[in-house]
Amino acid sequence: MQTRKKYLFLTFLASWLLLFFFGREQLRRFTFFPRRNVAVRRSWPRWADRTLLHSFAEPWELQGSTDTAQPSPRARRVAQLSTSQGSRCRMESCFDASRCQNGFKVFTYPREHGEPMSESYSKILSSIERSRYYTPRPEEACLFVLSIDTLDRDPLSAHYVRGVEQRIRSFPLWNSGRNHLIFNLYAGTWPNYTEELGFDIGHAMLAKASFHSKNFRPGFDVSIPLFPREHPQRGGQRGWLHHNSVPPKKKYLLVFKGKRYLTGIGSGTRNALHHIHNGQDIVSLTTCRHGKDWERHKDTRCDQDNVDYEKFDYQELLHNSTFCIVPRGRRLGSFRFLEALQAACIPVLLSDGWELPFSEAIDWGKAAVVGSERLLLQIPSAVRCIRPERVLAFQQQTQFLWDAYFSSVDKIVHTTLEIIRDRLLPHRSRSHFLWNTLPGGLLALPDFSTHLGDFPFYYLQHGSGPSDKFTALLRAAPPLGSLSQPTLRLIQAVSRSQYCAQILVLWSCEKPPPPSGTWPQTAVPLTIIQGRTKLSDRFFPYAAIGTDAVLSLDEHSSLSTSEVDFAFVVWRSFPERIVGFSAWSHFWDPEQKRWGYTSRWTNKLSIVLTTAAFYHRYYHSLFTEYLPTGLQELVDSLAACEDILMNLLVAAVTKLPPIKVTQWKQHKEAASQPVKGTAAGSSRRFSQQQDCLNQLVDWFGSMPLVSSQLRLDPVLFKDQVSVLRKKYRYLEKP
Amino acid sequence: MCASAKYNTRGPALIPRMKTKHRIYYITLFSIVLLGLIATGVFQFWPHSIESSSDWTVEKRSVHDVPVVKLPADSPIPERGDLSCRMHTCFDVYRCGFNPKNKIKVYIYSLKKYVDEYGTSVSNTISREYNELLTAISDSEYYTDDVNRACLFVPSIDVLNQNTLRIKETAQALAQLSRWDRGTNHLLFNMLPGGPPDYNTALDVPRDRALLAGGGFSTWTYRQGYDVSIPVYSPLSAEVDLPERGPGPRRYFILSSQMSLHPEYQSELEALQAENGESVLLLDKCTNLSDGVPAVRKRCHNSQMFDYPQVLQEATFCVVLRGARLGQAVLSDVLQAGCVPVIIADSYILPFSEVLDWKRASVVIPEDKMPEMYSILQSVPQRQIEEMQRQARWFWEAYFRSMKAIALATLQIINDRIYPYAAISYEEWNDPPAVKWSSVSNPLFLPLIPPQSQGFTAIVLTYDRVESLFRVITEVSKVPSLSKLLVVWNNQNKNPPEDSLWPKIRVPLKVVRTAENKLSNRFFPYDEIETEAVLAIDDDIIMLTSDELQFGYEVWREFPDRLVGYPGRLHLWDHEMNKWKYESEWTNEVSMVLTGAAFYHKYFNYLYTYKMPGDIKNWVDAHMNCEDIAMNFLVANVTGKSVIKVTPRKKFKCPECTAIDGLSLDQTHMVERSECINKFASVFGTMPLKVVEHRADPVLYKDDFPEKLKSFPNIGSL
C-alpha cells in the first residue's frame, strides 16, 4: 500500500510536470487560436521553379552593347561643354580642365581702389594670395576668383554690392563664368531666403555657406562653413578639449540657447526646441527677443522663456555640454556650428537639407549627429544611447576637424582649393581616409604619394612600419672646396651603421666637389648631388632618397656609429617626429613681447637641430611643396632659419615635441660651442635667428612648438651593470 | 496537495488507515491529468498539420500560378521621378519610428502577374536575380510581413532590366500597389536603365517619389542622399569560381576585355597598345567559335583565345569603359579577379559610392585623359597596387558577389540614413578583414598634452600590509602633482584601520572596500578617479623618489595613451619550446612595464573592466597573477604603441619577499608569467607587445650640470 501510494503520488507529479512542459505552448496557442495566422511570419515564397527562372538580362546585354550607332564620345563631351546650363553644371560639362595643364594656379582679379569690400572677403582674397597656388598672371591660371565682394547677397544688408551683373559681364576674363569660383556666405533675403545671388553666375563654381542640397551641384560646388567677421586670417585658436575625461560626460548632456523665430521660414524647428528642455541635463532655451517688432508676434510662452533665457550663459553651456543642438536659422547654416565644433561640444544638426561644409571630403558621421528636424523629440533618447567610447571619439574628431579645416580663414579657403584640385586629377587625389585622419588633407600631399604606407602618419592604422634603413644626407659647403678631417670621420662613422643604406652628399659649394678617389671608402654607396647654395636646398625632396628615414647631417656634425644606431632605432618608434641630438628650447619673452629661444642646457627642449637628426623623407616634400615660396626665400636670407622652420613645420603637423636622444658627452660640448661664442658675428647671427623665429610664428599664426622634458636613453644607460651587457656601451665611454 | 504532504510527514503508522475515498480521489485526479495529456497530444498534431501543409503548397508553387491583375488602359500613371527629392522631403520617417534596435522594417508586396486590357503581360513576371534579391530581404532581419509596421516597401514588380518591360504599363502597375501613396517609402531596384537611342541613366518608368537603387546613375540623375547607386550584377559571379590570387606582378599591365567598345575608344586603346606593346592586352569577341562554346566565356586577341573571366586574373589593371550605359557588369568580374579597375566613364556614380571609398580600390581617369592612361597607371606605387588588388577583391566579396550582398548593402545604406547615430563607420564598410585585423584605431588618437594642473590619482591596492601601505602613502603624498589617493582595500576579512590612524596628507585620501579579493579591482574605473592620469602603485613600492614619480607623471603627459612605468620587462620567443617566454633580467629591451608602479589613462581602466577580450579578466582573477601583463597586452593591442619605461633600473623587490625562498619561488613565478604571455597571445590572436630599446630620462640626466638647476635631480638614488 505504501509503495503504491508513493508511485501514485510520483505519477501524479510527473504527469503534471509533463502537462506543464508540453502543454504550455499548445495551451497558449489554443487560447489565442484566432490570431495564430498573424503570428506566423509569411516570408517570400520559395518558388518551385525558382531555378528555372530566366536571368534578368541576356549575356550580350551585360557584356557588350550591340548598339554601335552610339554617338561619338568625343562629340558627346564637346556637346556637353557647349550646351550645359548653369544649374546642371558638373566639372566635365562646365569646367575647362585644359587650362590646368600647367598645374593648379589660382588668379585673383586685381582689387580696384575704393571698392567696397568686407573684412571677410579681403581675408579670403589674401588667403588665396598667401597660398602656394596663387599666380598673378591670368594666362597661366586654372581658377579665377573675383575681386568683387560677393559674400553678402542679401539686398537688405549694408554689405550688399550692387551692379555685379554688369561689372562681371565687362570683364574680358569672365568667359561666362567658366573656371571661376565665387564665394558666398549669405544669399537670399526675407521672407523666403531662397539661395538667390542676384546675378547670373553662369558656369562659375560656387563656394557657399548654408547650401541646400537641392541647389548644390555635386562634384562642382563646394559647401563652406559660415564664419564670423572676426575669424582669424591664419593660425587660429585651438580647440577647447584639453584632456579626454573618462567617462566623457560633462555637466549637461544637450544644450541650446538661441533665438526663436515666431513666424516665417525656420520657425518650425526653433519653436519646438523648448519641448526637450528638462532643466537638468538638457537645457534648451529660446528667446523671442530679436528684430524690431518681435512683440507684435509674441505668444504666450515668450515672457517666461525670456526670463529663463537670462539664467544661463551661452559660453558656460558651450563649455559644459556633451552635445550641442545646431538648428537651422533663417538659413541652413549658423555660426553655432563652428562654435560647437571648437568647443568639442558634439553638434546635433537639425537642419534638413543642409549640404554640410566640405561634405565632399569630410565624413561628418564621425564628428556630428545628423538629426532630422522632423524627429526633434527623439533626439534626447538618441544621444543618450550613444556609447561612451563613441562620444570620446566624436569629441576628439571635432577637435581634429576644427584644427585641420576650420580654425582660420586660410584653412577654410585652402581646403576649398584642395577639394577642387583633387577633382581635376582623380587618380592623384586624397582618399576619404586621408581627409578624415590626422593630420588631415591639407597636410597630406597626394603629389608625394597616394599610398598610406609612404607617409609618416598612418603606419598604425595601415598596419605597417617604416623601412628599416636610412639615407644619410650630408650638406657640405666647405669654404675651401675640400672636406675637413672631422667630416671624413663623420662619413666613416655613419657608413658603419648597420642601418645605413646610402650616403648622399649635397655639395653646396661653388667649387666643384673633390674627385671620387679622394672620398673615403665606405661600405655603402656614396653619391654626390650638386646643389645650389641656398640653405633651404637641404630639404629638397631628392629622388635619390629611397628610404623612409633621412639622417640629416652637416659637415660640422660629429657622431659615432652607436649614436646613429640608437637614434635610428628610436626614430622607428616615432616616425612622425624629428629625432635628434642637439636641442634648443623656445620661450616667450614678456619684456620684449616676442618669442625667443636658447641653446643653453635647460630642462626642456622644443627644437632639435637638423644638423644631426632623423626624420621622415615626407617632410622634405612638405617643406618644399607645402610652404609658399615667400617663406623659403625668407629662410634662405637668414642664418640657421631653415632648422627652425623645419621644426615649426613638423610641430605644426604633429602637435608633438621632437625627441632628443643620448649624445656622447664630448660631442655635446662641441655642438654647443659656436653659439656660446661672444664674437660679434655669431651674436648677430643669433639675433637673426630670434628674428627668424618670430617671423615664422607670424606666418603660422601661432606658436606651434611644443616642449618636452625628457630624453630617450638606452634601457641600461649608466645602470650599475656590467658594460658588456649593454648594447650601446660606447655611448657611455668617458 | 497540502493534505498529502501532511500524511507523508506523519509516517508509516497512518498508511493502513487510508480510505477507499482517498483512493478514488487519487484515481480521479490521475485520470484527469492523463486526459489532459492526451488532449495536448492531439492539439500538438492537428494545428501543425494545417500549417505545414499550407507552407508546403507555398513552397511548391510556381511563379506562373500567381494571381493575375488586369490593368485598365486608363489606370493612373505616377508622375516622373522628382529630381529634388531628398530624405527629408520625399521620405516619410514617421513610418520608421524610433526603435532600440535601429533597424528599418521592410515589406515586400506579394507576387502578381500584370497584364493589360488585352491580356498581354506587362513584363516577365520575375527574373532569377530579382527573386534572389527578394528572398534575401525576406530572410534578413529587416523583413516584416506586416504592412502596417513597415517603413520601406519593395514592390515585387521586377524592374531590374528596362528592356524587358513596358514602361507605361509597369508604371500603372506600380501606381495600383496598395500602399503606393505617390511612391513614398517605396524602393525600386534597377540595373539596366534606359534604352536606345539615348540611354537614360536612370530608370525611365515614372515612379514619383520612390527611391531608386540604380545601376548606372550619372551625376545628373543621381539624387545624392536619396537614391542608392548599386552595381550591375554579373551572373558569372555565381557560375565561375575564381580563387583569390595573392598580390604580386601579373602578366599584363593593362587589359581591356569588353566587347563591342565604341570605335573611338577602340582606336585609343589600340594606340596605347601600339605604344607599349606586350604589356597591354586588348581582347574582343571571338569570331571563329565552334558550336556549343558559349561566346560570353571566351575572348580573343587576333587568333589567340582566352577564357573569360579567368584571363582577368592575369592583369594588374583592367579597363572598365562606359558603353551605351554607364554601369557595366564587367566591373564585377574585374573586382572578382582582383584586378584593379581603371574606370573611364565621366560622371558615373560608382556603386555604393555613398559609403565605399573607391580611391582605395580603383583608378578613375577622365575620358579625355585616356591617352595618358599608361603613364598615370605607372605612377601608382607597387605597394599601393597590391593593396588595391586586395581591396577590389574585398569589395566584390562583400558587396558584389550575389544579389543578396547587393540587397543587404542597399538596405544598410538606407538604414544608416534613417538612424545616422547608429550608422556603420567608414572602417567597417571599407577595411577588408586583413586590415581590420592588422591595423589599430587608437581610442585616444588626438595628440593632446594634458594640462599639468590636473594632476594624477594614485591607486594603492592593498590586502593587509598596513605598515608598508602607510609608508607608501606618505612617500607618494610628497609628489607635487598628486591630486587624490585611493586605497583599494582588498581584504574582506579585516576592516581597514580607523580614520585616525591613517597618515595625514595634503590631498584627499579615500578607501574603497571591495566585495571580493580580486586583482581586477585595481583596474576598476572608480568614480572617485577624477583625473585622466592614474598611478597604480603596490603597497610595497617604497623605493621611488618623489622626483621620479613626478617625472613619471610628466612623461605620461607627453604620452597619455601609453603605459608609463618604472620596472620594465620583456617577452622573448623561445625557439626551443616554440613559445613565448617572460624575461626580467637586465636586458637592453623592454616590452612591458609592471603596473606595480605605472601611470596610465583612466580610459584603460574602463577597457580592462568592460572590454577585455575573451576570458582573460576572469582567468587573471582566478589565478591571482598577471593582471599587469594583461594590462600591457590590452593597451598595446588597442594603441599599437610600446610602453615607456622611465628612469634607471633598481632592485624592485621588497626585502620580505626574497626572504621566503628566493630561487625556487622565482622560478615558478617565471614559469607562471610565461604561461600568462602564451595564454594572452592566443586569446588576442596576435602578439601585440612592442619591443623598444629606449627609456625616458630627464633631459639633463647624468649630465655634467649643477644638480640644483635640474628639474628632477633625485633620480636613481634609491
Side-chain angles (χ1 to χ4, degrees), chain A residues 203-270:
Chain A
H203 290 168
M205 283 188 263
L206 206 49
K208 189 172 114 53
S210 306
F211 237 126
H212 193 287
S213 53
K214 73 169 187 251
N215 300 322
F216 184 76
R217 295 166 293 180
F220 189 69
D221 291 328
V222 182
S223 178
I224 59 170
L226 187 62
F227 59 88
R229 196 162 45 92
E230 46 299 345
H231 210 53
Q233 171 85 60
R234 65 193 91 170
Q237 282 184 350
R238 294 202 51 186
W240 293 353
L241 184 77
H242 297 300
H243 50 86
N244 288 310
S245 42
V246 175
K249 284 206 183 109
K250 301 190 195 163
K251 188 170 162 195
Y252 305 108
L253 175 74
L254 183 65
V255 298
F256 173 76
K257 187 182 176 194
K259 285 183 270 191
R260 173 153 78 92
Y261 307 124
L262 296 166
T263 52
I265 191 162
S267 61
T269 303
R270 291 222 171 184

Side-chain angles (χ1 to χ4, degrees), chain B residues 147-300:
Chain B
V147 72
N148 294 312
R149 289 175 57 205
C151 151
L152 197 63
F153 302 88
V154 180
S156 57
I157 302 163
D158 181 355
V159 292
L160 280 183
N161 183 353
Q162 194 184 310
N163 288 344
T164 62
L165 48 88
R166 290 158 65 190
I167 289 172
K168 182 183 148 218
E169 288 77 6
T170 307
Q172 287 173 325
L174 286 173
Q176 56 76 50
L177 291 170
S178 61
R179 300 284 168 136
W180 178 250
D181 183 23
R182 299 188 60 204
T184 313
N185 292 24
H186 279 63
L187 174 64
L188 304 180
F189 286 88
N190 167 256
M191 287 179 177
L192 297 180
D198 52 352
Y199 289 96
N200 194 351
T201 52
L203 181 67
D204 281 320
V205 176
R207 53 185 192 278
D208 214 336
R209 295 171 145 195
L211 295 126
L212 183 61
F217 280 119
S218 78
T219 53
W220 284 283
T221 49
Y222 179 65
R223 295 169 292 182
Q224 187 137 25
Y226 192 65
D227 290 325
V228 182
S229 175
I230 59 169
V232 181
Y233 176 69
S234 168
L236 284 180
S237 298
E239 263 174 58
V240 190
D241 178 41
L242 291 181
E244 185 168 2
R245 227 179 109 153
R250 299 186 175 190
R251 193 158 157 215
Y252 304 104
F253 187 60
I254 299 176
L255 173 74
S256 161
S257 66
Q258 285 165 288
M259 298 190 282
S260 337
L261 287 173
H262 192 278
E264 219 174 278
Y265 292 138
Q266 196 74 41
S267 63
E268 289 204 48
L269 287 173
E270 274 159 19
L272 212 64
Q273 190 191 27
E275 215 173 297
N276 300 293
E278 288 287 283
S279 61
V280 180
L281 181 64
L282 305 183
L283 299 176
D284 207 338
K285 58 169 147 307
C286 299
T287 45
N288 51 351
L289 272 182
S290 54
D291 290 342
V293 180
V296 288
R297 300 290 304 278
K298 295 283 173 201
R299 292 288 188 279
C300 287

Side-chain angles (χ1 to χ4, degrees), chain A residues 509-525:
Chain A
C509 189
E510 313 235 312
K511 297 199 175 70
S516 53
T518 56
W519 291 88
Q521 289 295 310
T522 53
V524 294

Side-chain angles (χ1 to χ4, degrees), chain A residues 2 4 8-9 11-12 15 19 23 26 30 36 41-50 53-56 59 61-63 65 67 70-74 76-77 88 90 92 213 218 241 243-244 246 352-353 366 370 374 378 382 388-390 392 396-397 426-427 429-432 438 450-451 454 460-462 566 573-574 577 601-603 668 706 708-717 719 725-728, chain B residues 4 15 23 26 29-30 33 40 43 51 59-64 86-88 91 93-94 98 109 111 127-129 131 134-135 138-139 143 145 161 163 197 199 219-220 224 235-236 259-260 262 264-265 268 296 299 322 347 357 359 367 376 383-384 387 420-421 427 439-440 443-446 448 532 554 558-559 562 587-588 601-603 606 611 640 648-649 693-695 697 699 701 703-705 709 711-712:
Chain A
Q2 189 193 7
R4 232 177 69 193
L8 212 65
F9 187 68
T11 333
F12 175 71
S15 34
L19 187 66
Q26 298 305 317
F30 187 64
R36 203 176 54 85
R41 208 170 88 143
R42 283 171 305 172
S43 53
W44 183 253
R46 303 276 187 273
W47 304 105
D49 48 357
R50 60 182 183 273
L53 291 172
H54 289 288
S55 178
F56 75 109
E61 275 183 289
L62 291 172
Q63 290 203 352
S65 62
D67 192 5
Q70 277 289 302
S72 141
R74 197 169 296 133
R76 191 189 62 232
R77 291 201 294 272
R88 288 172 52 78
R90 298 292 183 270
E92 54 269 31
S213 53
L241 184 77
H243 50 86
N244 288 310
V246 175
D352 286 350
K366 288 186 161 182
V370 185
R374 293 181 292 176
Q378 291 182 9
E389 58 267 35
R390 266 196 91 186
L392 194 67
Q396 295 178 76
Q397 191 77 3
H427 56 276
S429 60
R430 299 163 179 87
S431 67
H432 235 72
L438 277 156
T450 44
H451 182 239
D454 287 341
L460 289 172
Q461 293 103 318
H462 185 249
F566 177 67
S573 290
F574 304 96
R577 307 202 202 186
W601 288 15
T602 62
N603 287 296
K668 196 185 280 179
V706 186
S708 168
Q709 302 194 57
L710 58 91
R711 178 184 86 198
L712 294 182
D713 293 332
V715 171
L716 298 179
F717 183 67
D719 274 358
R725 297 189 81 146
K726 298 185 182 180
K727 186 173 172 188
Y728 300 102
Chain B
S4 71
I15 290 165
R23 204 176 303 162
Y26 278 121
L29 251 177
F30 183 71
V33 170
T40 321
F43 279 136
E51 191 183 291
E59 287 284 305
K60 283 295 168 201
R61 246 167 35 183
S62 156
V63 291
H64 301 295
R86 292 294 180 273
M87 288 308 266
H88 67 276
F91 195 87
V93 276
Y94 299 116
F98 179 77
Y109 288 97
L111 188 62
S127 65
R128 187 168 66 226
E129 283 80 8
N131 181 49
L134 294 181
T135 310
S138 161
D139 290 345
Y143 180 70
D145 61 355
N161 183 353
N163 288 344
Y199 289 96
T219 53
W220 284 283
Q224 187 137 25
L236 284 180
M259 298 190 282
S260 337
H262 192 278
E264 219 174 278
Y265 292 138
E268 289 204 48
V296 288
R299 292 288 188 279
R322 63 166 295 162
S347 81
D357 190 349
K359 283 177 189 163
E367 284 180 39
I376 287 174
R383 286 190 294 169
Q384 194 183 351
E387 272 162 37
Y421 37 84
E427 285 76 18
S439 67
V440 291
L444 304 168
F445 59 85
L446 195 69
L448 283 178
E532 272 184 279
E554 299 292 345
E558 292 187 34
F559 302 99
R562 305 191 189 216
T587 54
N588 284 292
H601 198 283
K602 186 189 171 189
Y603 184 76
Y606 167 80
K611 303 275 153 138
R649 174 163 178 137
E693 300 184 7
H694 54 253
R695 71 162 202 247
D697 287 324
V699 177
Y701 174 68
D703 274 350
D704 189 9
F705 195 73
L709 293 179
S711 304
F712 309 100

Side-chain angles (χ1 to χ4, degrees), chain A residues 151-202:
Chain A
L151 286 187
D152 193 342
R153 298 306 297 164
D154 183 344
L156 300 178
S157 157
H159 291 289
Y160 183 78
V161 179
R162 277 158 220 290
V164 174
E165 179 97 40
Q166 293 88 316
R167 286 181 54 198
I168 51 175
R169 294 219 180 284
S170 69
F171 291 142
L173 296 167
W174 174 247
N175 187 17
S176 78
R178 216 167 274 263
N179 291 29
H180 278 63
L181 176 65
I182 289 171
F183 285 90
N184 175 262
L185 294 181
Y186 312 95
T189 186
W190 198 84
N192 289 324
Y193 294 91
T194 51
E195 295 173 28
E196 196 51 53
L197 288 183
F199 64 96
D200 180 16
I201 59 166

